[in-house]
Structure formats: C-alpha cells, structure tokens
C-alpha cells in the first residue's frame, strides 16, 4: 500500500491472516531471544471480505443488453495481510491489516456512526458498514485505556475513499503471545472502513508527521526494538511463490534459507525532498535498468536510466514507464489497446503463436550490479481463450512501482535504522508450514551494524537523484556481470538454526505535519506515485478481443 497524504491507499488487497508464531506453538525447546516471526496466509481480492487464494488478477466479462459490447472489470488486484490483536482490560479482539506502506496502528471505535446498528441518524443506511465481523474497540469498557490528551486529532484519508478519524492513546496490547503494550495507537470513532491498520513503515509516513507541528513516535518495529524483543527496527519479508498460500515476516532478523545467490544492500532514495522531507519516508530504491532475458543468450536491454522504484507489497501489479512497456511489447509481440488501456498478447507461447516469448522468458531488474529475475508468464492475465493482458501498467512518469508480481521473486530486508534495503532472488518453499521454521537459517540484525550476510551492491553509490526526461536503452545491463541469480524453482529448506518468537513486554506516543510544501503534499496526495488501480471498467468489442 502507498500512503496518500500520509494516508493509506489500499491499492491492492490480498487478504492475509498473520499468526505470530508463539514458541509453544512451534517449539518444545527453549530458544534464544532476539526476533519475532510471523507466518501469514495470502489472499487476493478487491476487498477483504471477498478475498480468495486465487493469486492472479482476473477479468470479469459481462455482456451488455445490446450484445455488441462487454464490460470488463479487473478483480483480485489487491493484496493485504491481517492480524488479530487483543486490546484493553478485559481484552477485546480486533482484526487489523498489516501494511509495509504505512506506519500507524489504528482500530475502529465501537461508537462509530457508520456501523450497522448505530443509533446515529446522520449516516444513511446505504453508507453503513458491518463492524461486527472484525471487531471494534470500546475504550470506555477498558480499565487500562489512557487517552493522550496532548496529541492532535487523528485523521487519515485513503485513496479508495475510506477514511478514519479519532483520538490517540495507549492500552494493554497483545498480538498472539507478544505483549506490545506501550505502542501508541488511534481509536477511530468515525470511519467507513471495516478494519483498522497496523502500519510497519518508516516514521516519516506517520499521521503525526503530516500537518502542522510534525512529530514522529515509535511505531511497531521500533517498539519491538525498544522493548528488547529485537535488536533492530529491521524486518524481512518473504512472500513465497504466487501459487503458495503462506509467507512470513521476521522482525529483527534475516533468514538466509529463503533466498539464493548473494544478498545485496542498496540505499533508500528520498523522492519527496522537494516537499520538505529531509529523509526517505517510503521504500523507494534506485532501479538502474530493465531487460528481457530469453533462452540462451537472447537478452535485450529495455532501459539503463536510473529511476525511483517503490517496493509496494500492497500492490499486486507492477507499474513501469510507458516507453519501456512500448519497447517490451514490440519485443514480445504484444500490442496496446487504447479501448481499455492495456497491452494484449496471445496467451500461447508455442510455435504457432505470434508472441515472441516462451516459458523461459524473464523480465530482469537491475539494481546496480545484481539482478532480480521474474518470469514473464507471471505478468500475464487471461482475458479470453487465446488473448492475455500484460499485467504491467503504463505510467506517464519515469517512476516505477514494484508490486507483488515482482516482490514474490525477491527476498527483501527493510532496514528502517539505516534507511537501506537488502535484496536477493527468493527461494521458493513448497507446502510452507511451521516445520520450515525449524530448519531456517536465522541471523539476528543488530541495529547500525547492517544486515548480516549482506554486502553493498556494486552500484550502491550510483543512485537516482532527479528524474530523466527520457528513458534510455543505451548500454547493456547484462554486461554488468552481477552475482549470478536464477529464476525461482521449488527448493527444500536447508538445515540451519531455528526461529524463535520473543514474548516480551514494553511500555509510549504521537501528534501531526508542517511546512506549506508538506501541507500541499497532504492535500494533493502522492497521486503521481499512487499504485491504486480502482475497479476499472472498459467497453470493448468482442471482435477486438479475439
């Protein structure tokens, strides 16, 4: 997910229920402390309630009354993760979405006028939501709730038109067996969203940093570090293959069994410096080049222009500049359809097809001396029997948004302390379950010491600074001689050290943004960067589809 005006854009939803892996759930022997492991289930859909395990976007074709046109609606564009929290005394159970693209925890309040059954009459029944399934928090029924009277009013506005407003405070807070009491959170007494959010992004994206008198506070990864549950504010994200239903997040550690080749570190880049931010506020890195790799030495460079690329685990699809997609389309036999804004390509890649690619064709991303390879087939969405849509979305700007179709092939370590990201080619694990944790190769991340086992990428210092007016394909990304990586295949987990979950207590707070530039950013949102692809309706003739 990407924040708009430090506000969430629920840009791609895939439901994921996360379970904190309690020691008693996985291990009989006592383990050393130092990190927190979460295993999650992956689902996809346009909203949490309708999400399924189907990992690819789909096209729903409906015939119109005149029988001449069809309405095409993209579904399963969104990916999200959820976790159950116990809040207050006595404990109240609330389900929230976990988001790497935002930074605050907020939960719906029980007196929300948008809830069905609410006595408030100013909200029409048409705009009411069912608040019962995922829970709400009644601060009046908790003897340990403490409102932060000095904090400003909490307010977030999301790119999908949902919003949340309320008050800041603290209370007893547990995630499974993990005590995170002391984490500041907001109770949204007015929201049209059925679920709250647990943001684990950079502090610059906190709602308290988005209006006048900006400030930041210790969010979830930082509270884990302060409490001694972890030694750093870093975490590792492993999505596993698109087909698998489980992945994992490790707070404070890296699992070397989850990737192949070398783990390379690159710095985050600050694309919002002109808006008054002196440090990166979201996970943008420098993409140094893009290429197309085929069987043998059939390689082609599509771009050698440095571009900022947002690593967005809340987005299913991937967004690239129009000129790069035009070049890619020419090389694989696709053509752009202005009728519905996507590139069409024959689904079959055999000898009888007009497409110029096969199952070995990969889209290759160069991050400065190392590559992440992604099979081209993972970007294809079937529209009709013979016609596929290329699930790469054109952008007018020279920015890139790397969604799950990319991230599922990368093992990513987000280092919030050092403002860096470490990446490697992900290693897939079949039938992923708790047993896999027992053979994991886990190493603790110690704060400013960086990521264990990672080395600076050869192009670490060659970062994006300003956007180029044109994308250049001069040069060859395949002559950089990166550490060899390979496209993911199915591997068994190697034997190594064991994962552990620290069960610890803690005991902390917030406010809201500043300069005129920041205010303007909050009003306009990150629209030029937003990966939100709302439900898109196209009208096209069946003749053009076939």
């Amino acid at each position: 997910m990407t924040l708009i005006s430090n506000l969430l854009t629920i840009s791609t939803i895939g439901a994921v229920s996360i379970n904190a892996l309690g020691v008693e759930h996985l291990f009989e022997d006592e383990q050393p402390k130092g990190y927190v492991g979460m295993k999650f289930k992956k689902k996809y859909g346009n909203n949490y309630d309708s999400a399924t395990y189907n990992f690819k976007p789909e096209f729903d074709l409906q015939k119109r009354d005149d029988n001449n046109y069809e309405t095409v609606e993209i579904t399963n564009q969104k990916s999200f993760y959820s976790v159950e929290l116990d809040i207050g005394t006595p404990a109240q159970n609330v389900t929230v979405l976990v988001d790497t693209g935002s930074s605050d925890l907020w939960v719906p309040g029980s007196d929300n006028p948008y809830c069905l059954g609410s006595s408030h009459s100013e909200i029409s029944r048409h705009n009411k939501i069912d608040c019962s399934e995922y829970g709400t928090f009644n601060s009046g029924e908790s003897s340990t709730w403490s409102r932060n009277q000095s904090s400003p009013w909490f307010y977030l506005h999301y790119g999908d038109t949902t919003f949340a407003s309320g008050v800041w405070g603290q209370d007893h807070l547990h995630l499974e067996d993990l005590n995170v009491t002391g984490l500041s959170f907001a109770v949204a007494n007015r929201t049209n969203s059925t679920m709250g959010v647990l943001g684990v992004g950079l502090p610059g994206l906190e709602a308290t940093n988005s209006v006048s008198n900006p400030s930041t506070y210790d969010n979830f990864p930082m509270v884990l570090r302060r409490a001694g549950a972890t030694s750093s504010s870093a975490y590792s994200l492993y999505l596993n293959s698109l087909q698998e239903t489980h992945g994992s997040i490790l707070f404070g550690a890296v699992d070397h069994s989850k990737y192949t080749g070398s783990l390379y570190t690159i710095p985050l880049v600050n694309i919002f410096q002109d808006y008054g931010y002196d440090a990166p506020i979201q996970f943008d890195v420098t993409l140094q080049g893009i290429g197309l790799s085929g069987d043998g030495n059939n390689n082609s460079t599509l771009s050698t222009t440095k571009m900022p690329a947002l690593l967005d685990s809340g987005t299913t699809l991937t967004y690239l500049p129009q000129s790069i997609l035009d070049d890619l389309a020419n090389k694989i036999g696709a053509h752009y359809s202005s009728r519905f804004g996507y590139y069409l390509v024959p689904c079959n890649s055999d000898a009888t097809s007009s497409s110029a690619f096969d199952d070995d064709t990969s889209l290759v991303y160069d991050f400065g001396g190392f590559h992440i390879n992604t099979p081209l087939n993972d970007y294809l969405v079937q529209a009709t029997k013979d016609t596929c849509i290329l699930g790469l979305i054109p952008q007018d700007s020279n920015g890139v948004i790397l969604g799950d179709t990319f991230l599922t092939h990368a093992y990513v370590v987000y280092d919030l302390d050092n403002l860096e990201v470490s990446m490697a080619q992900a290693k897939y694990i079949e039938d992923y379950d708790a047993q896999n944790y027992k053979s994991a190769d886990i190493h603790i991340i110690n704060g400013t010491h960086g990521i264990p086992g990672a080395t600076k990428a050869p192009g670490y210092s060659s970062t994006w600074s300003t956007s180029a007016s044109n994308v250049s394909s001069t040069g060859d990304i395949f002559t950089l001689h990166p550490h060899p990586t390979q496209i993911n295949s199915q591997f068994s987990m190697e034997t190594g050290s064991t994962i552990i979950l620290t069960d610890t207590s803690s005991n902390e707070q917030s406010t809201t943004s500043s300069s005129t530039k920041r205010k303007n950013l909050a009003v306009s949102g990150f629209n030029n960067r937003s990966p939100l692809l709302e439900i898109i309706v196209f009208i096209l003739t069946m003749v053009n589809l076939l």
Side-chain angles (χ1 to χ4, degrees):
M1 298 181 200
T2 322
L3 284 179
I4 287 195
S5 77
N6 292 4
L7 316 176
L8 283 172
T9 297
I10 299 184
S11 51
T12 325
I13 293 185
V16 177
S17 77
I18 296 181
N19 294 319
L21 297 176
V23 175
E24 70 274 21
H25 295 159
L26 294 181
F27 315 110
E28 296 179 358
D29 301 325
E30 183 178 354
Q31 302 296 330
K33 297 183 178 181
Y35 54 91
V36 174
M38 292 182 184
K39 179 182 175 183
F40 56 77
K41 293 179 181 179
K42 304 188 297 183
K43 290 184 180 179
Y44 303 87
N46 281 335
N47 56 65
Y48 185 84
D49 298 337
S50 64
T52 69
Y53 290 108
N54 187 13
F55 64 90
K56 276 197 172 184
E58 295 178 340
F59 286 78
D60 182 22
L61 279 68
Q62 296 179 340
K63 188 163 288 187
R64 289 165 53 111
D65 292 339
D66 56 17
N67 291 323
N68 290 326
Y69 298 89
E70 296 207 349
T71 298
V72 182
E73 181 179 287
I74 299 181
T75 60
N76 288 11
Q77 297 178 75
K78 304 181 180 179
S79 342
F80 58 82
Y81 318 96
S82 70
V83 61
E84 291 188 2
L85 299 176
D86 287 323
I87 307 175
T89 307
Q92 302 174 43
N93 187 263
V94 180
T95 300
V96 294
L97 301 179
V98 175
D99 180 24
T100 63
S102 65
S103 305
D104 303 294
L105 168 62
W106 68 267
V107 296
S110 61
D111 56 348
N112 178 19
Y114 283 85
C115 291
L116 287 171
S118 169
S119 59
H120 297 271
S121 58
E122 74 270 23
I123 308 300
S124 68
R125 183 170 182 81
H126 175 74
N127 292 322
K128 296 276 189 176
I129 57 175
D130 183 3
C131 301
S132 61
E133 185 171 1
Y134 307 116
T136 60
F137 176 62
N138 187 336
S139 59
E141 293 187 358
S142 173
S143 62
T144 48
W145 162 255
S146 174
R147 177 177 174 179
N148 190 324
Q149 299 289 347
S150 63
S151 293
W153 193 254
F154 166 78
Y155 181 77
L156 293 178
H157 182 225
Y158 299 89
D160 64 347
T161 72
T162 59
F163 72 92
S165 64
V167 298
W168 288 97
Q170 292 184 358
D171 206 333
H172 290 180
L173 190 62
H174 288 79
L175 187 155
E176 294 287 328
D177 302 309
L178 184 67
N179 185 341
V180 287
T181 298
L183 173 64
S184 293
F185 65 96
V187 178
N189 297 318
R190 289 182 71 92
T191 178
N192 57 354
S193 174
T194 58
M195 299 180 70
V197 172
L198 172 60
V200 293
L202 292 164
L205 277 184
E206 290 168 352
T208 60
N209 198 40
S210 65
V211 272
S212 59
N213 301 318
S215 66
T216 59
Y217 64 95
D218 285 359
N219 65 0
F220 185 73
M222 296 173 182
V223 166
L224 292 181
R225 178 180 182 178
R226 192 185 70 229
T230 65
S231 299
S232 69
S233 299
Y235 55 87
S236 307
L237 178 64
Y238 174 70
L239 294 183
N240 210 346
S241 71
L242 287 171
Q243 293 85 353
E244 290 297 320
T245 59
H246 292 82
S248 65
I249 299 177
L250 291 181
F251 289 94
V254 57
D255 184 353
H256 296 301
S257 71
K258 297 292 194 305
Y259 65 86
T260 182
S262 296
L263 187 65
Y264 285 107
T265 300
I266 53 179
L268 298 179
V269 294
N270 184 6
I271 69 169
F272 295 116
Q273 186 172 4
D274 290 344
Y275 289 94
Y277 293 92
D278 56 7
I281 62 173
Q282 62 182 25
F283 296 118
D284 290 290
V285 297
T286 301
L287 180 61
Q288 311 246 2
I290 303 176
L292 194 63
S293 175
D295 193 15
N297 294 318
N298 187 19
N299 300 327
S300 177
T301 295
L302 301 174
S303 169
T304 53
T305 298
K306 295 182 180 67
M307 292 176 286
L310 174 64
L311 304 175
D312 189 358
S313 62
T315 298
T316 300
L317 303 178
T318 292
Y319 296 68
L320 297 174
Q322 179 85 53
S323 59
I324 294 179
L325 290 184
D326 287 341
D327 193 9
L328 172 63
N330 289 334
K331 288 179 168 57
I332 65 172
H335 69 277
Y336 184 76
S337 172
S338 59
R339 289 180 179 267
F340 61 101
Y342 286 95
Y343 295 84
L344 299 182
V345 64
C347 291
N348 299 321
S349 57
D350 55 29
T352 63
S353 171
S354 60
S355 59
F357 66 94
D358 55 29
D359 291 342
D360 295 322
T361 303
S362 297
L363 196 58
V364 180
Y365 298 85
D366 172 32
F367 291 96
F370 74 98
H371 293 168
I372 300 296
N373 299 325
T374 64
L376 190 62
N377 280 336
D378 280 2
Y379 297 96
L380 300 183
V381 182
Q382 190 156 358
T384 67
K385 179 181 178 181
D386 301 314
T387 302
C388 278
I389 289 176
L390 185 61
L392 292 164
I393 313 304
Q395 293 215 114
D396 293 334
S397 67
N398 286 342
V400 173
I401 299 171
L402 299 175
D404 286 355
T405 47
F406 166 83
L407 289 172
T408 191
H409 298 285
Y411 184 77
V412 184
V413 186
Y414 300 86
D415 188 347
L416 281 65
D417 296 316
N418 298 302
L419 298 178
E420 295 176 328
V421 162
S422 299
M423 283 194 289
Q425 192 82 32
K427 179 189 293 186
Y428 290 163
I429 302 167
E430 253 183 307
D431 300 325
Y432 186 69
D433 58 24
Q435 265 317 109
N436 297 123
Y437 277 106
K438 294 190 174 182
S439 56
D441 184 11
I442 306 293
H443 290 254
I444 302 297
I445 301 172
N446 290 309
T448 57
H449 296 157
I451 309 304
T455 57
K456 284 188 176 182
Y460 180 93
S461 300
S462 181
T463 59
W464 169 91
S465 57
T466 58
S467 295
S469 56
N470 296 303
V471 174
S472 172
S473 58
T474 303
D476 186 354
I477 69 167
F478 298 98
T479 63
L480 296 179
H481 305 298
H483 191 288
T485 57
Q486 57 191 27
I487 295 182
N488 299 318
S489 54
Q490 306 299 324
F491 292 86
S492 298
M493 183 79 90
E494 301 164 356
T495 304
S497 57
T498 318
I499 189 173
I500 77 121
L501 169 70
T502 60
D503 182 10
T504 184
S505 301
S506 133
N507 279 334
E508 195 242 324
Q509 167 23 82
S510 138
T511 335
T512 335
S513 178
S514 90
S515 69
T516 302
K517 286 187 176 180
R518 290 195 185 186
K519 269 189 178 176
N520 289 339
L521 181 60
V523 172
S524 64
F526 304 156
N527 293 327
N528 62 326
R529 298 286 302 157
S530 173
L532 176 63
L533 186 57
E534 302 272 6
I535 298 175
I536 302 175
V537 178
F538 309 101
I539 298 179
L540 51 130
T541 64
M542 283 300 293
V543 173
N544 287 335
L545 269 180
L546 298 175

